[in-house]
Amino acid sequence: MSNGVNVVGLYVRDQDEALEFYVDKLGFRVHTDARNGNYRWLTVQHPQQPSFQLGLFKPGPPVHDAATAKTLSEVVAKGAMPPLVLEVDNCRAAYERMSARGVEFTQEPADRYGTVDAGFRDPSGNGWKMIEVSTKPSSQRSQ
Amino acid sequence: MSQTPELLRRLLRAKDRIDGAPEKDWPVRRLAEVSAVTEAHFAREFKKAFGLPPHRYLLTRRVERAIALLRDTDLPVTQVAFQTGWNSLGTFSRVFRDITDESPGEFRARERPVPHEREQVPECIVRATHRPDLKTAVSEKRRKKVAGKMGLQLKEAL
């Protein structure tokens, strides 16, 4: 696939901490970790999703002035950034595995709307829903 | 004085606890502990971060859940009150009215006028489409109204 969304970024308070979380606790892989002066372009990738990168970016210069960076950091820490969804084939198993690694869950797995979902946050405050893949056949990419 | 992202993140942890189980009692002591903030500072810091005091936030979350149960289930109002964390039907009705401007019974009657049409639709879809989208509604309302109407009643609880 050559057309599509390639990178979506999150703001994180500390890129080393975020890297440790997404790689060691969630099982993502580092895709790019490139520095240019103080700037660090860091993206990770789900092992089963080679065409998509999740950027882990720290608000700050040269992209943001100090006041803007501070505001962004506050918004993230208050959990006010948009929701993220992680699809898993077994929500309860993933919950057990991730809990054991120290992931901070905000909601234990619950049966709802024909599937199972749970909720967790990354160290910065970004909130994830973890939803079990529905057993219904998916129509995506069926063309 | 501005709040550091680290403090906000810890306060968020307390808010997450409330969100996860609004039917439980959440004494300031326990929430302060979750946030690693002194009891004396917790309510003020929480309000500064999220716009309203922790106890009032808890009540709005309970009412949100009660609204969902009134709309989506046939549970008697008393059961709805108990399941959403109130020990007394009177308190539940009063707070519910303060926040929504109508009684639990009135709300249910208005929200469920023609139930039979939903029988054609799978239950999970019905539940999904009628899931309340209340984060905005209640937070908007509580800003406008709760502050004025409930301020006095709740001060002692904070």
Side-chain angles (χ1 to χ4, degrees), chain A:
Chain A
M1 187 181 76
S2 57
N3 300 286
V5 178
N6 177 227
V7 179
V8 172
L10 303 179
Y11 285 129
V12 299
R13 63 184 182 187
D14 181 304
Q15 286 175 303
D16 288 328
E17 178 187 60
L19 185 66
E20 192 263 332
F21 178 81
Y22 283 97
V23 172
D24 296 348
K25 293 192 163 72
L26 261 53
F28 285 53
R29 296 171 185 158
V30 177
H31 181 280
T32 307
D33 188 354
R35 293 169 197 257
N36 187 344
N38 286 333
Y39 186 73
R40 184 179 183 189
W41 173 271
L42 173 64
T43 69
V44 294
Q45 199 163 49
H46 191 282
Q48 293 172 30
Q49 215 171 10
S51 71
F52 181 81
Q53 299 169 52
L54 187 67
L56 306 173
F57 305 125
K58 185 173 166 58
V63 183
H64 309 107
D65 62 277
T68 305
K70 182 170 175 292
T71 302
L72 289 171
S73 301
E74 288 171 359
V75 169
V76 172
K78 287 186 197 188
M81 293 299 272
L84 300 150
V85 177
L86 184 68
E87 197 175 63
V88 292
D89 52 19
N90 185 330
C91 186
R92 289 198 166 79
Y95 169 81
E96 294 302 331
R97 194 172 57 243
M98 289 159 63
S99 295
R101 292 179 190 163
V103 172
E104 177 183 341
F105 275 86
T106 51
Q107 181 216 307
E108 292 179 6
D111 289 281
R112 267 199 288 228
Y113 312 114
T115 182
V116 186
D117 68 67
F120 65 90
R121 284 194 193 281
D122 75 7
S124 301
N126 293 296
W128 286 84
K129 270 284 177 206
M130 181 164 74
I131 303 180
E132 190 163 300
V133 186
S134 166
T135 48
K136 292 173 204 151
S138 165
S139 63
Q140 103 186 91
R141 291 188 203 156
S142 60
Q143 301 304 309

Side-chain angles (χ1 to χ4, degrees), chain B residues 36 58 72 76 82 90 93 97 101 143:
Chain B
L58 171 65
D72 300 344
F82 291 156
S93 299
R97 184 182 278 282
D101 279 337
R143 271 186 207 111

